[in-house]
């Protein structure tokens, strides 16, 4: 009998369920979008109950479409949007407030106070992170400080915190599992990535009771069982989406590199068992590993608005009807006519780390039309990724090799070719671009004994390759324009 793995892929804009067979092939997939909530400028929220509902609906649809029954599934993996914070009452199971999303900037003031108090170096040394509203720790503090009665409940032990993986496991296990993995813990700005425990000094600084926090396990380990359509199934793999994609792209050796083109863009390089400290605005984070193996680390660069710029062009600007149409628009013109979009809708991530930056469109002329603007939007994804590649090259002091690409926007052939051109590097897109979900499935497969570790490199090994096609003069001219656009964006915010 074939063995099947169910992966819950809970992203920033949708909840998906994917069933893989033991060879890493997709058997069935279902997806449900959920509401993006913007209470005020810079604020981003999700309804945790809606996430749970969207995820469970996707699970049900996925299993029905597959023709399988729940008891034919061997085990479950979970991969999730990271840093998004959920706090709920352990007795009622009800969230005390909406989930505060990783993109949300509301805690910028708390971050500035931490910097003024001199904690930047301690946080960098302990957690591998920059002080930024991006991470979960300041979100928890905001909830305890701003929701009536929350701090008293937390101090009594009545509140629990979790990233979305923890929230899903807790709800689907009937409150029996309150756990997360090392990759998600490493993104909270509360976790000591070297000694592998919640850091008491940081908890004291942010006034967060440790009893709220989940236990932390290896990404590939047994978390306990959850209920799927009346069947008890073990969860054997959990990883934050970007580390899951790193694992799914087989980047398990020091120097291996991937970029996920999702809502944001996330460039990760495996650094093996060494936690490399960045001098160029990168983050140091924990990579996904399985029980019984040494902890591995990665350098990471984060772009807050990557593929989300395509959503913005579709939903807010109404310039396209669907994401696929963006490629047609980009190819309808020879260039962007000098137009640059810097989509700093949620600030600028690496290597700039400007929490207050906001989006700009530069270089508009009378002849600029819809196609030029759409093309500029797509190009902005590649430019931001190139900034990360350049910074990571400087940290690693080597020229990085092939860029392995995955995520929804990696299906856009114009974008992948422009990335190869502007970064002067080969870009490889696997036949199955679902590397994030596949990574969680592989963690499950190894942990549950479904997949042999020697077979991993053969799974999803077929790729489409894009090679650079422009000369250095053209590349440098384009990059100089991008640098000017970034400078304008930062200066505008200062003004």
């Amino acid at each position: 009998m074939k063995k099947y793995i169910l992966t819950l892929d809970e992203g920033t804009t949708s909840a998906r369920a994917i069933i893989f067979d033991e060879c890493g092939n997709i058997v069935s997939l279902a997806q449900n979008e959920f509401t993006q909530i913007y209470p005020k400028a810079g604020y981003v929220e999700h309804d945790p109950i809606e996430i749970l509902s969207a995820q469970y609906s996707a699970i049900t649809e996925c299993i029905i479409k597959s023709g399988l029954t729940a008891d034919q599934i061997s085990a479950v993996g979970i991969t999730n949007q990271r840093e998004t914070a959920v706090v709920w009452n352990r007795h009622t199971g009800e969230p005390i407030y909406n989930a505060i999303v990783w993109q949300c900037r509301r805690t910028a003031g708390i971050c500035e106070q931490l910097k003024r108090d001199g904690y930047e170096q301690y946080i960098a040394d302990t957690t591998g992170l920059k002080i930024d509203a991006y991470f979960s720790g300041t979100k928890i503090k905001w909830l305890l400080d701003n929701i009536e009665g929350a701090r008293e409940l937390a101090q009594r032990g009545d509140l629990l915190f979790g990233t979305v993986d923890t929230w899903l496991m807790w709800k689907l296990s009937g409150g029996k599992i309150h756990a997360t993995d090392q990759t998600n813990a490493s993104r909270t700005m509360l976790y000591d990535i070297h000694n592998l425990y919640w850091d008491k000094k940081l908890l004291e600084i942010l006034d967060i009771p440790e009893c709220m926090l989940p236990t932390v396990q290896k990404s590939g380990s047994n978390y306990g069982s959850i209920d799927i359509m009346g069947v008890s199934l073990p969860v054997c793999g959990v990883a934050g989406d970007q580390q899951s994609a790193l694992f799914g792209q087989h980047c398990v050796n020091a120097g291996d590199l991937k970029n996920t083109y999702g809502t944001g863009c996330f460039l990760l390089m495996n650094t093996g068992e060494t936690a490399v400290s960045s001098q160029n605005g990168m983050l140091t984070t924990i990579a996904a590993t399985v029980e019984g193996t040494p902890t591995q680390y990665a350098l990471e660069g984060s772009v807050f608005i990557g593929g989300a710029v395509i959503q913005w062009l579709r939903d807010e600007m109404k310039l396209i009807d669907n994401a696929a149409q963006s490629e047609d628009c980009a190819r309808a013109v020879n260039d962007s006519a000098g137009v640059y979009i810097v989509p700093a809708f949620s600030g600028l991530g690496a290597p700039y780390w400007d929490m207050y930056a906001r989006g700009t469109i530069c270089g508009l002329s009378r002849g600029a039309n819809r196609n030029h603007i759409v093309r500029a939007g797509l190009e902005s994804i590649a430019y931001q990724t190139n900034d990360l590649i350049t910074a990571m090259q400087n940290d690693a002091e080597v020229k990085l090799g092939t860029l392995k690409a995955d995520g929804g926007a990696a299906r856009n052939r114009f974008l992948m070719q422009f990335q190869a051109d502007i970064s002067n590097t080969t870009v490889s897109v696997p036949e199955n671009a679902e590397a994030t979900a596949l990574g969680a499935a592989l963690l499950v497969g190894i942990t549950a004994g479904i997949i042999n570790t020697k077979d991993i490199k053969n799974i999803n090994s077929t790729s489409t390759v894009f090679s650079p096609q422009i000369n250095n003069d053209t590349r440098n001219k384009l990059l100089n324009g991008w640098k000017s656009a970034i400078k304008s964006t930062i200066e505008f915010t200062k003004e």
Side-chain angles (χ1 to χ4, degrees):
M1 287 182 63
K2 276 192 172 182
K3 296 180 179 179
Y4 298 97
I5 297 166
L6 172 65
T7 296
L8 315 186
D9 183 359
E10 198 294 308
T12 306
T13 58
S14 69
R16 305 191 306 159
I18 303 176
I19 294 175
F20 293 91
D21 66 18
E22 58 198 325
C23 298
N25 300 310
I26 293 178
V27 175
S28 178
L29 184 153
Q31 176 173 345
N32 291 311
E33 291 192 2
F34 49 82
T35 308
Q36 306 298 302
I37 303 168
Y38 308 107
K40 60 173 71 173
Y43 281 40
V44 190
E45 299 175 1
H46 293 155
D47 178 349
I49 300 298
E50 186 184 4
I51 287 176
L52 177 67
S53 176
Q55 186 65 75
Y56 202 81
S57 175
I59 292 168
T60 304
E61 181 184 348
C62 183
I63 293 174
I64 292 171
K65 283 169 65 176
S66 73
L68 301 171
T69 56
D71 57 9
Q72 289 178 276
I73 294 168
S74 300
V76 179
I78 299 174
T79 182
N80 58 287
Q81 55 166 315
R82 304 171 304 169
E83 298 98 12
T84 294
V86 186
V87 174
W88 66 95
N89 188 300
R90 69 159 69 236
H91 304 295
T92 68
E94 292 296 314
I96 65 168
Y97 188 77
N98 281 335
I100 301 181
V101 180
W102 58 272
Q103 298 165 316
C104 188
R105 301 281 94 191
R106 77 183 66 198
T107 64
I110 299 173
C111 293
E112 292 297 345
Q113 187 61 51
L114 289 172
K115 292 177 183 178
R116 287 193 293 270
D117 291 342
Y119 292 120
E120 279 187 278
Q121 195 61 51
Y122 181 80
I123 286 173
D125 291 343
T126 305
T127 70
L129 306 177
K130 300 275 187 183
I131 294 178
D132 193 86
Y134 181 17
F135 306 110
S136 313
T138 58
K139 300 179 187 353
I140 304 171
K141 176 175 173 56
W142 187 93
L143 287 166
L144 297 183
D145 288 346
N146 288 274
I147 305 305
E148 186 176 356
R151 186 162 294 285
E152 291 75 16
L153 287 170
Q155 289 169 344
R156 291 207 307 259
D158 293 334
L159 297 186
L160 299 177
F161 155 76
T163 41
V164 178
D165 58 309
T166 304
W167 165 247
L168 291 175
M169 282 192 285
W170 195 89
K171 294 297 283 187
L172 294 175
S173 68
K176 294 177 182 176
I177 302 173
H178 185 224
T180 191
D181 86 304
Q182 291 176 342
T183 67
N184 277 294
S186 72
R187 311 297 296 188
T188 59
M189 214 172 77
L190 300 172
Y191 191 69
D192 185 328
I193 64 171
H194 308 287
N195 296 303
L196 307 179
Y197 51 61
W198 298 114
D199 186 79
K200 293 186 183 302
K201 181 175 178 178
L202 288 171
L203 294 176
E204 183 180 344
I205 290 167
L206 291 171
D207 198 11
I208 296 171
E210 189 170 358
C211 60
M212 293 180 67
L213 305 181
T215 58
V216 183
Q217 300 179 203
K218 283 274 191 178
S219 299
S221 60
N222 196 319
Y223 288 78
S225 295
I226 60 175
D227 183 279
I228 300 295
M229 298 177 70
V231 178
S232 181
L233 297 175
V235 177
C236 294
V238 176
D241 50 11
Q242 303 315 316
Q243 288 97 327
S244 186
L246 189 72
F247 200 82
Q249 286 272 38
H250 319 310
C251 297
V252 295
N253 299 308
D256 291 346
L257 180 77
K258 74 89 200 174
N259 190 44
T260 295
Y261 295 83
T263 300
C265 285
F266 301 89
L267 185 74
L268 272 75
M269 181 178 72
N270 188 310
T271 61
E273 296 176 39
T274 303
V276 176
S277 296
S278 173
Q279 304 303 313
N280 294 281
M282 300 292 102
L283 305 174
T284 306
T285 196
I286 297 180
T289 51
V290 299
E291 197 67 49
T293 63
T295 298
Q296 289 192 330
Y297 296 89
L299 278 174
E300 174 173 339
S302 307
V303 169
F304 297 153
I305 300 295
V309 75
I310 302 174
Q311 271 189 319
W312 173 72
L313 291 167
R314 181 192 69 187
D315 299 340
E316 272 69 50
M317 301 303 288
K318 310 296 184 187
L319 295 179
I320 53 176
D321 297 322
N322 53 66
Q325 195 179 2
S326 65
E327 183 169 351
D328 296 331
C329 291
R331 294 188 185 280
V333 289
N334 293 326
D335 52 40
S336 68
V339 176
Y340 288 85
I341 295 177
V342 181
F345 307 145
S346 301
L348 285 170
Y352 307 102
W353 294 108
D354 187 334
M355 291 186 290
Y356 301 104
R358 289 296 176 265
T360 57
I361 301 178
C362 303
L364 287 171
S365 64
R366 182 65 181 84
N369 61 35
R370 161 181 173 257
N371 292 331
H372 294 120
I373 292 173
V374 171
R375 178 168 176 143
L378 284 175
E379 289 180 351
S380 75
I381 302 171
Y383 283 125
Q384 292 177 96
T385 298
N386 185 68
D387 287 340
L388 302 182
I389 292 172
T390 301
M392 203 167 281
Q393 282 178 331
N394 293 334
D395 273 332
E397 297 182 345
V398 295
K399 178 168 173 54
L400 304 176
T402 298
L403 176 65
K404 295 181 178 181
D406 61 77
R411 298 187 185 95
N412 189 305
R413 295 178 67 87
F414 169 82
L415 174 58
M416 293 299 97
Q417 183 58 59
F418 190 76
Q419 186 72 74
D421 289 341
I422 209 65
S423 298
N424 195 25
T425 193
T426 301
V427 176
S428 174
V429 183
E431 184 176 6
N432 171 16
E434 303 291 350
T436 301
L438 178 61
L442 294 178
L443 288 166
V444 171
I446 296 168
T447 303
I450 299 169
I451 299 173
N452 191 306
T453 52
K454 295 178 181 177
D455 296 332
I456 285 184
K457 64 182 179 181
N458 298 320
I459 294 175
N460 199 30
S461 57
T462 304
S463 301
T464 301
V465 176
F466 298 84
S467 301
Q469 295 181 356
I470 63 173
N471 59 45
N472 285 331
D473 288 343
T474 302
R475 181 180 300 111
N476 290 335
K477 182 179 179 181
L478 291 169
L479 286 172
N480 286 336
W482 171 252
K483 291 173 185 175
S484 294
I486 285 285
K487 183 178 179 182
S488 298
T489 299
I490 293 172
E491 289 300 317
F492 175 79
T493 307
K494 287 180 179 177
E495 289 298 325

